[in-house]
Amino acid sequence: METLITPEIMSALGISVQIFLGILLADFISGFFHWLEDCYGREHWPVLGPYVIEPNIRHHSRPLDFTRGSYLFRNRVVLVLALLFTLWFWAMGWLNPFTLTALVFGSQANEIHCWAHMPTAKVPRWVQFLQRAGLFLTPFHHWRHHRAPFDCHYCTVTNFLNPVLDKIGFFRGLERMIWIVTSKSPRDRKITV
Ligand SMILES: [Zn+2]
Ligand SMILES: [Zn+2]
């Protein structure tokens, strides 16, 4: 009897798994850097201060402001980084469905975040569809990040990783490790023994 699992199906499955893992990696990286900015970023840092930390702090006090700017203004830092990484990966021969997906979704992490703040009427239909499917961050899910105590749901690409990372105390563990090594607590919280 002929097997139904052909090499083509195996190949398509393999690519699908790589794409899914690439999306999860982009989600994780978005959460990791968002957490770093929220907890340890300082506005007076050179370059990063005015271009990354200050807009991030402003987003938490006035969350809708960044939805009113242009796509390029909102995403300029991440787009430049994604382009540089894409060129580096291409030069090294590291581009594949996994890394390419991570780069594409990572480059759009802030835009996906922005859609989660926009009024539904302004969000493209295809984005609403992906939000409903849980593949893109949803407004309800992300709003938990903007509620006191403002210390969870850092990932801004999907709804998948936040519950897992919060449940296992991933960021609290990192904060404790940083505190043990440097005696530094996150900006708004004091770590004690
Ligand atoms: Zn935040
Ligand atoms: Zn937000």
Side-chain angles (χ1 to χ4, degrees):
M1 196 174 86
E2 249 181 68
T3 175
L4 290 173
I5 304 175
T6 62
E8 289 77 18
I9 290 177
M10 283 305 288
S11 164
L13 271 176
I15 291 173
S16 303
V17 169
Q18 286 193 59
I19 289 173
F20 183 66
L21 292 177
I23 294 171
L24 289 187
L25 178 64
D27 199 23
F28 176 78
I29 290 172
S30 76
F32 179 77
F33 283 100
H34 182 177
W35 162 79
L36 263 185
E37 291 168 31
D38 277 16
C39 294
Y40 301 99
R42 293 291 179 266
E43 289 155 287
H44 60 77
W45 285 354
V47 186
L48 281 179
Y51 286 102
V52 178
I53 309 302
E54 196 272 326
N56 181 53
I57 290 172
R58 190 159 10 100
H59 174 62
H60 292 84
S61 56
R62 298 206 301 268
L64 299 185
D65 273 15
F66 86 139
T67 66
R68 299 181 189 116
S70 71
Y71 170 85
L72 274 180
F73 184 79
R74 202 162 38 234
N75 299 289
R76 62 200 196 282
V77 173
V78 186
L79 285 172
V80 168
L81 285 173
L83 180 65
L84 292 175
F85 271 95
T86 304
L87 290 172
W88 180 36
F89 279 29
W90 171 74
M92 302 299 286
W94 293 344
L95 281 183
N96 53 49
F98 170 63
T99 55
L100 201 56
T101 305
L103 285 162
V104 169
F105 274 74
S107 74
Q108 300 308 307
N110 209 29
E111 195 61 14
I112 296 169
H113 174 200
C114 178
W115 282 321
H117 279 284
M118 278 182 174
T120 310
K122 287 192 170 177
V123 178
R125 287 277 174 92
W126 66 272
V127 173
Q128 292 183 38
F129 172 78
L130 291 175
Q131 286 178 333
R132 278 197 296 274
L135 194 61
F136 276 7
L137 185 73
T138 58
F140 181 72
H141 184 94
H142 180 57
W143 201 247
R144 293 193 60 184
H145 178 73
H146 287 274
R147 275 189 338 199
F150 310 100
D151 64 353
C152 69
H153 282 49
Y154 292 100
C155 301
T156 63
V157 177
T158 78
N159 286 0
F160 298 147
L161 279 189
N162 281 318
V164 178
L165 296 177
D166 290 342
K167 181 89 180 160
I168 64 175
F170 180 77
F171 292 112
R172 299 298 86 77
L174 285 186
E175 288 162 11
R176 188 154 283 276
M177 277 168 53
I178 289 174
W179 178 75
I180 289 169
V181 175
T182 68
S183 304
K184 280 195 191 309
S185 286
R187 192 205 326 260
D188 300 326
R189 274 171 285 125
K190 272 273 165 283
I191 292 184
T192 52
V193 186

